[in-house]
Amino acid sequence: MMYTKPKLLLSLILILFLSACQNNPVGRESIEKEKQVANETVESEDKGKEEENKSEAIEKKSQADSEVVEVDQNEQQQSDGEEIDLNKVAKENNDNPKLFEDIEQKFYIQGVTLGDPKSLVIEKLGNPDEEKEDSSELDPSDTVLSYNNLNIYITNNKVTHMNLQTNEGFFKKEFYNLYPDRQYISEDSSMFYLYEEPTGHLIYAKYDNENFMVYFDYADGNFKLNLDEQWIIKTSDQNRSVMNNQYFIIPIQTSGLVLPLNIRVILLWMNLRQMEMESQFITMN
């Protein structure tokens, strides 16, 4: 029992001290201040996080908007490209005439022929890459419509002549070899012609410096004169002439000299073979 009173006394002192702290205005004010500082700190941290989250959200939104714009631009470019490709395909295929045709004894290139009005040319080929004055010194046209490697000359609102820059192989494949019955060639084989006598339509092709040029025009007096003088000849006539010059009759007996039998048989076979080849050639032409 002797230790009970001190313990009880200590307990009373502790209770009184705590009670005094609670009732002490200074102590309470200190606690309130610490509590307020703590609350402000929490609020400040919340605001900081809120601003950080807001800034991050704005940045993400801006990035997303930028990606959307980029996608839209890519889609637009792709769409434009598809339209260009479709237009190109349409122009080169179904909606565009054949490159070269002979219709009713008139020569056409991409649906255009001599005598067509300027409006029809633009309707068939679209607006030209360039429209310029004719710089020709001899009988210049009013204007020239240029489409890539095709030039169309217009006088009095009508097509007077045309020219096309290409290569010899393409010309022979796409033009010349299509109409063997209309083929002509110069004596020195430097110029190639396609000629429609009823309409006077003439195509002639030659090397102009290093460029192979194809010209669409009307046959003039020079062409007809060269035709009469046989400086220009039909290819079938030229082939027949070559055939006649290449093969000749070999006599089996000359100057009373009788050749051995085996040689005579060979020569006879050669002569018969030549006659057979000439007969086949004439039949084909």
Side-chain angles (χ1 to χ4, degrees), residues 21 24-36:
C21 289
N24 186 0
V26 178
R28 292 182 62 183
E29 183 179 353
S30 177
I31 293 172
E32 290 295 332
K33 284 183 178 181
E34 291 179 357
K35 185 176 179 181
Q36 182 179 357

Side-chain angles (χ1 to χ4, degrees), residues 40-51:
E40 289 176 353
T41 302
V42 172
E43 290 177 0
S44 177
E45 291 177 354
D46 290 341
K47 286 182 180 180
K49 289 181 179 179
E50 183 179 352
E51 291 295 330

